[in-house]
Amino acid sequence: MEGVALILSLLLVVVVVNLDGFSCVYSGSHCIESEKNALIKFSQGFKNPSRSMLSWMLDENCCSWKGVECDNKTGHVITLDLHKQFLQGEFRNSLLGLPYLRHLDMSHIDFLGERIPEFISSFKDLEYLNLSKTNFRGMIPEHLGNLSRLQFLDLSGDFSLRVNNLEWIHSLFSMKILDLSGVDMRSAENWLHDINLLSSLSELRLSACQLTTFPEFLPTFVNFTSLRILDLSLNYFDATIPTWLLNTSHSLVYLNLTRSQVYGLLPNTFGNMRSLRVLDLSGNSIQGNLPHSFEKMSSVSFLDLSKDELTGYLPPTLPSKLKYLDISDNIMEGPLARSITQLKQLVVLNVSWNSFNDSITEHFLNLTHLRVLDLSSNSFIFNVSATWMPRFQLDSLSLQSCGLGAQFPQWIQTQKELSFIDISRTNISGEVPDWFWNFSAKVYHIDLSGNNFSGEIPEFTERVCLTKLDLSDNNFHGPLPHFSPKMMTLILARNSFNGTISPVCESLVMNNSLSLLDLSSNFLSGQLSDCWRYGKNLQGLNLGHNDLSGEIPHSIGDLTNLFFLQLQNNSFSKNLFSSLKNITGLKFLDVSENSLSGNIPFWLGESLNALGILILSRNNYDGIIPREICQLTALRVLNLSSNNFRGAIPRDIHNLKILESLDLSRNQLSCSFPPRMGELPFLEFANFSFNDLTGKIPVGPQFNTFENSSYVGNANLCGFPVSRFCSDHLHEDMVHCSNNNQEVQAIEHEENNNWLDEFSFYISMGIGFYTGFWLFWVTLMLKESWRYAYMRFLENMGNKIYVFATIRLKNIQPAKGLRNCPN
């Protein structure tokens, strides 16, 4: 036992000695009372203390509170870490009661738009300061430059902080990690010169700082030779990659310039960056070929050059340690296999949207670690055996527009971990095998569009992970499938589905996730059910080009998040219900080629102000075009052709300033063009043919481009481009049009108020019937003589009807007997 005690004592001594080496760790001593009070007062500034701060109330020793650490010798609080506590409140100056703070982390706390308090610069021992995503606003105080011991500074956020310059960082000689991402630095033109003074800097993040200067040369030598991580993404440099950047090649391991408006060729000296592991130049205008020197970048494991303007062939040899390679959305061409086959560690390969052409063989895809494969939109032909068993297990497979052969690729059945599948436009024919619909429960995205698949499809109610299904442009038939409430995008357009849409209604249960439904161009029929009240998440609904009939249901108006509604080329009747005015964010409405009738509802122009495209053509609408249409100032396309509209074109149509296409053809419009109609600066297409318009054709930059076909069928129009010159009586015609406009406005006012007259009539009729009914029966109940007289009247009428019916029946029976006698 004594031996055991001795060993335990020695272990305790070792632990204590080790703890002395890390003075920031609490050793069990009690904190100082004044610092405890300072912490309590600081916490009282938060409106919503989190559960993790319960220890602040239950434990007397503040050194054991969560987020608090004390020096194990002095007991002073040296660390306060409240990050990601989802707190909200004020940054109280009671924190000054902790003068020995070395580590302060307030990240992800909402300080309600306050300014960064200047008293933070009083913490002379501070080495670590993290105020990221704290909702501080305004100018960063230059007094932070007094924190000469600071090694870590993170003020990144959501564009609420700004600086005019970075001169205040000159004295931060110990700075190792600096993150000002999301700070407005557009005025800090000398940012690079200021940062170059920080010789100890190892990590610099200035992402999304609105920087516009990216000097080609530094005024002096490169001083931050210890720099390992550099993130300058999401800026506005409009410059080439500077030479000084390549002088950091011996230390840099991470370089991110994505979407920073960098252009030009990649210099050959990139190959000198031997220590670089991550290189992201995506979303810029990098041009030319990938330099052959890239193969010298022996440490690179992540390379993203997507969405640039690269051309030519891939180098025959790429860095062998590559795990992530994305060169999608470029203009590259030629073979691929020779450059890829030696990349044995590859996990992600994305070469989509280029012009590569190659034969994909089993040897090419002998990549054991591959998890993401995207070869979409190239000219690849798969040349693998029907029994091929790949060595990889993919999570994501995208082969859009690749040549996979006429039969469904059986090797996909071996991929048990797939969650994303896109084999659209690959010219596969026949029925989809049964195993495909059920082989992986993890699949959330399936795209089989643009093939020649046929047959019926199964129900998807049990596929709770499936959120997007696109089977458009095939030959599937049969009834529509049911789907789970988790489905977000369902596209079954341009197939041969038939029957009603009741499976959709039955799937639209409460709390469903459906946001896009496209069932257009099928053979669906029957009435459109009034079942849309649970479609609150729907943003797009396309039921066009079917044979649906009846009225457009009221509950369509419950789709308040809808952006586009397409019901064209069906057999809908009557008019649009006023419930549609609830869809105030609607941008695209197409109900053309139906049997809708009546007047265009005036609320269409008053409520649907976001409409950019309005197509009501080929219906049975009549009356005038309501002037409220001119309130739709976001309209780009207006098509009211092939109806029965009469009267004048609305006088204020010039208010549609961004209108690009206008079709009013094949109506009964009359009178002259509105005087300011030529003030439509973006109008590219116009058709007024086959109406009864009169007077002079508008003159303007856009109208001068329209041909005679835009006005044919209007015998009384004159001016360019028709052959008829305008007469001297044009002024009289204009006066006549003006009178007509007054009549039209009167008709418009009358028609807009007809609904009130009709409503009043039915209300009056109901009240009259109700009053007369009860007056009659109450009188009978109260006046006995009237009651007896009424009963006698009913009895006499009953007797007369009985006698009449008996005599009539006897006369009919002999007649039947005569008809049944033989001749």
Side-chain angles (χ1 to χ4, degrees):
M1 289 296 292
E2 292 181 359
V4 173
L6 180 60
I7 292 173
L8 289 175
S9 300
L10 290 173
L11 287 174
L12 182 59
V13 170
V14 171
V15 170
V16 171
V17 170
N18 286 336
L19 288 177
D20 283 342
F22 299 91
S23 60
C24 64
V25 179
Y26 167 64
S27 65
S29 60
H30 280 70
C31 69
I32 296 171
E33 189 68 20
S34 62
E35 297 186 2
K36 173 183 176 182
N37 293 333
L39 286 169
I40 292 174
K41 289 180 181 179
F42 184 74
S43 68
Q44 290 171 349
F46 297 122
K47 299 179 179 179
N48 56 336
S50 63
R51 290 183 178 179
S52 60
M53 297 184 73
L54 285 175
S55 61
W56 289 38
M57 294 177 285
L58 300 177
D59 198 324
E60 286 292 325
N61 185 8
C62 69
C63 290
S64 61
W65 292 353
K66 185 169 184 179
V68 179
E69 290 183 2
C70 300
D71 188 282
N72 64 324
K73 292 180 179 179
T74 65
H76 288 299
V77 174
I78 59 174
T79 295
L80 180 58
D81 187 347
L82 300 179
H83 79 285
K84 293 186 178 180
Q85 298 291 325
F86 304 104
L87 298 170
Q88 186 182 68
E90 59 179 310
F91 198 103
R92 291 191 169 182
N93 60 6
S94 57
L95 209 62
L96 288 171
L98 308 176
Y100 300 97
L101 268 182
R102 300 177 194 171
H103 183 115
L104 179 60
D105 191 339
M106 298 282 116
S107 57
H108 296 271
I109 295 178
D110 184 2
F111 287 112
L112 304 174
E114 293 183 10
R115 292 180 178 271
I116 296 177
E118 293 189 4
F119 67 77
I120 290 182
S121 60
S122 303
F123 298 107
K124 303 300 183 181
D125 293 332
L126 207 59
E127 299 174 354
Y128 181 105
L129 177 59
N130 190 342
L131 300 179
S132 62
K133 296 179 176 59
T134 48
N135 195 21
F136 279 123
R137 296 185 179 276
M139 197 73 68
I140 294 176
E142 295 184 0
H143 293 80
L144 292 181
N146 296 334
L147 302 174
S148 56
R149 295 188 179 182
L150 205 59
Q151 299 179 25
F152 179 103
L153 177 61
D154 189 348
L155 301 179
S156 61
D158 302 320
F159 317 108
S160 55
L161 293 173
R162 66 182 188 278
V163 293
N164 288 331
N165 58 70
L166 292 181
E167 293 177 2
W168 52 275
I169 69 173
H170 290 181
S171 57
L172 303 180
F173 302 114
S174 302
M175 184 66 65
K176 294 181 179 179
I177 298 175
L178 177 61
D179 190 345
L180 299 179
S181 299
V183 174
D184 184 351
M185 293 177 55
R186 73 183 81 184
S187 300
E189 296 183 358
N190 295 321
W191 65 272
L192 183 58
H193 168 72
D194 297 325
I195 287 175
N196 191 40
L197 299 177
L198 305 179
S199 57
S200 299
L201 198 64
S202 63
E203 180 175 337
L204 175 63
R205 296 184 184 272
L206 300 179
S207 176
C209 288
Q210 303 184 54
L211 293 170
T212 56
T213 58
F214 203 18
E216 176 70 19
F217 303 101
L218 280 169
T220 59
F221 58 90
V222 176
N223 192 34
F224 42 75
T225 54
S226 299
L227 195 65
R228 293 173 57 81
I229 295 175
L230 178 59
D231 185 354
L232 300 176
S233 60
L234 305 175
N235 283 292
Y236 307 105
F237 292 131
D238 193 24
T240 58
I241 297 176
T243 55
W244 63 262
L245 186 59
L246 303 176
N247 293 335
T248 63
S249 58
H250 66 281
S251 62
L252 210 60
V253 297
Y254 178 99
L255 176 60
N256 189 349
L257 296 177
T258 182
R259 294 169 58 189
S260 286
Q261 297 186 16
V262 177
Y263 64 86
L265 301 175
L266 286 174
N268 254 323
T269 47
F270 251 111
N272 298 331
M273 306 183 81
R274 304 290 179 86
S275 60
L276 201 63
R277 298 176 187 174
V278 175
L279 176 59
D280 191 343
L281 303 178
S282 61
N284 288 292
S285 299
I286 305 296
Q287 300 166 334
N289 297 344
L290 274 180
H292 284 259
S293 63
F294 261 53
E295 66 178 288
K296 299 178 182 178
M297 301 168 65
S298 55
S299 299
V300 169
S301 61
F302 182 104
L303 179 59
D304 191 344
L305 300 172
S306 62
K307 298 180 178 64
D308 279 306
E309 298 174 11
L310 294 171
T311 57
Y313 289 18
L314 270 177
T317 305
L318 291 172
S320 60
K321 292 184 179 180
L322 270 177
K323 295 181 179 179
Y324 182 105
L325 176 60
D326 188 348
I327 51 174
S328 60
D329 287 289
N330 280 285
I331 322 169
M332 304 191 75
E333 58 184 344
L336 182 70
R338 63 174 187 172
S339 306
I340 302 298
T341 49
Q342 80 274 17
L343 303 180
K344 299 303 182 182
Q345 300 182 43
L346 207 58
V347 176
V348 174
L349 174 61
N350 187 350
V351 299
S352 61
W353 297 97
N354 279 283
S355 298
F356 290 115
N357 56 83
D358 209 340
S359 177
I360 305 300
T361 64
E362 298 174 16
H363 174 69
F364 167 77
L365 290 174
N366 189 24
L367 304 171
T368 307
H369 302 288
L370 198 63
R371 293 294 176 267
V372 176
L373 177 62
D374 192 344
L375 306 179
S376 302
S377 300
N378 285 281
S379 298
F380 293 123
I381 303 296
F382 271 69
N383 186 15
V384 297
S385 66
T387 58
W388 177 47
M389 300 281 289
R391 298 180 61 188
F392 51 72
Q393 280 293 319
L394 297 176
D395 297 321
S396 176
L397 174 65
S398 301
L399 302 177
Q400 180 190 121
S401 302
C402 293
L404 299 185
Q407 303 299 317
F408 199 95
Q410 294 296 314
W411 61 267
I412 294 180
Q413 190 174 7
T414 66
Q415 304 301 296
K416 304 300 183 182
E417 302 298 321
L418 273 175
S419 59
F420 185 103
I421 305 172
D422 183 353
I423 52 173
S424 59
R425 296 171 177 81
T426 51
N427 295 320
I428 306 175
S429 303
E431 295 191 5
V432 177
D434 292 337
W435 59 260
F436 177 78
W437 300 117
N438 300 301
F439 82 104
S440 176
K442 298 179 181 179
V443 175
Y444 70 89
H445 179 115
I446 295 178
D447 190 347
L448 305 182
S449 62
N451 285 290
N452 296 306
F453 290 122
S454 58
E456 296 189 10
I457 62 175
E459 303 284 7
F460 295 101
T461 50
E462 302 300 323
R463 300 302 300 270
V464 293
C465 290
L466 188 61
T467 58
K468 178 176 180 180
L469 177 64
D470 188 350
L471 305 180
S472 58
D473 295 290
N474 281 287
N475 295 312
F476 291 112
H477 62 266
L480 294 174
H482 292 80
F483 50 88
S484 84
K486 299 295 184 181
M487 185 74 74
M488 298 177 65
T489 301
L490 180 61
I491 306 176
L492 305 179
R494 295 173 293 281
N495 279 282
S496 299
F497 291 108
N498 52 45
T500 68
I501 67 162
S502 57
V504 173
C505 289
E506 292 162 7
S507 301
L508 276 179
V509 296
M510 189 181 297
N511 298 323
N512 71 86
S513 303
L514 194 65
S515 61
L516 174 61
L517 177 63
D518 189 349
L519 305 177
S520 60
S521 300
N522 281 285
F523 298 103
L524 303 175
S525 59
Q527 292 193 347
L528 187 58
S529 304
D530 199 7
C531 64
W532 303 93
R533 66 186 183 122
Y534 291 135
K536 300 293 185 182
N537 295 314
L538 264 178
Q539 298 179 11
L541 176 61
N542 190 350
L543 304 177
H545 300 282
N546 281 288
D547 193 23
L548 300 171
S549 58
E551 300 180 52
I552 297 174
H554 284 275
S555 59
I556 292 289
D558 293 329
L559 307 179
T560 52
N561 290 313
L562 210 59
F563 287 145
F564 68 85
L565 175 61
Q566 295 176 258
L567 303 175
Q568 71 273 20
N569 196 10
N570 279 284
S571 300
F572 293 117
S573 58
K574 295 193 176 179
N575 206 339
L576 300 174
F577 282 118
S578 61
S579 62
L580 286 181
K581 67 183 179 183
N582 298 329
I583 316 176
T584 54
L586 195 65
K587 298 180 183 297
F588 188 143
L589 176 60
D590 187 352
V591 291
S592 60
E593 299 182 71
N594 280 287
S595 299
L596 301 176
S597 58
N599 302 325
I600 295 181
F602 66 91
W603 51 259
L604 198 66
E606 293 180 342
S607 301
L608 305 185
N609 302 117
L611 269 181
I613 298 176
L614 176 60
I615 306 177
L616 306 179
S617 58
R618 298 188 182 184
N619 278 288
N620 297 320
Y621 281 115
D622 54 21
I624 63 165
I625 300 174
R627 59 189 172 195
E628 286 81 7
I629 289 290
C630 302
Q631 298 178 22
L632 300 175
T633 54
L635 266 186
R636 295 183 179 273
V637 176
L638 176 60
N639 189 345
L640 306 179
S641 63
S642 300
N643 281 285
N644 299 306
F645 294 118
R646 65 182 190 275
I649 298 172
R651 187 177 185 84
D652 296 329
I653 198 166
H654 64 277
N655 290 337
L656 306 180
K657 296 296 186 184
I658 61 173
L659 194 66
E660 299 173 7
S661 175
L662 175 64
D663 194 344
L664 302 178
S665 63
R666 299 185 183 278
N667 281 288
Q668 301 172 30
L669 298 174
S670 58
C671 201
S672 60
F673 286 99
R676 299 180 62 183
M677 191 161 187
E679 302 176 13
L680 294 173
F682 297 102
L683 196 64
E684 297 180 359
F685 172 85
N687 191 351
F688 307 100
S689 61
F690 299 103
N691 280 287
D692 194 20
L693 297 170
T694 61
K696 186 177 180 180
I697 293 172
V699 176
Q702 302 305 114
F703 278 84
N704 292 343
T705 64
F706 301 144
E707 299 180 354
N708 185 60
S709 58
S710 295
Y711 306 100
V712 69
N714 294 277
N716 296 316
L717 285 178
C718 64
F720 180 82
V722 300
S723 57
R724 182 170 178 259
F725 292 99
C726 295
S727 68
D728 296 334
H729 302 290
L730 179 61
H731 179 69
E732 297 177 8
D733 294 339
M734 295 294 289
V735 172
H736 171 69
C737 289
S738 178
N739 292 335
N740 271 356
N741 274 332
Q742 294 176 7
E743 294 174 11
V744 165
Q745 290 177 10
I747 293 171
E748 180 183 21
H749 178 76
E750 178 184 352
E751 291 180 343
N752 283 344
N753 287 282
N754 277 346
W755 71 272
L756 182 60
D757 296 338
E758 187 175 349
F759 180 72
S760 301
F761 169 74
Y762 286 119
I763 288 293
S764 301
M765 185 174 68
I767 293 174
F769 175 79
Y770 182 83
T771 303
F773 177 82
W774 283 109
L775 184 63
F776 173 76
W777 284 107
V778 168
T779 303
L780 286 184
M781 292 174 62
L782 297 178
K783 201 166 182 64
E784 186 177 358
S785 59
W786 285 30
R787 188 163 62 249
Y788 287 145
Y790 182 64
M791 294 302 175
R792 283 196 298 273
F793 170 75
L794 291 179
E795 185 177 3
N796 291 336
M797 284 298 297
N799 291 336
K800 289 180 180 180
I801 292 172
Y802 174 74
V803 171
F804 176 80
T806 303
I807 294 173
R808 185 68 176 171
L809 185 61
K810 288 183 177 180
N811 291 337
I812 290 173
Q813 287 177 346
K816 285 184 178 180
L818 289 172
R819 282 198 299 268
N820 293 332
C821 291
N823 292 329

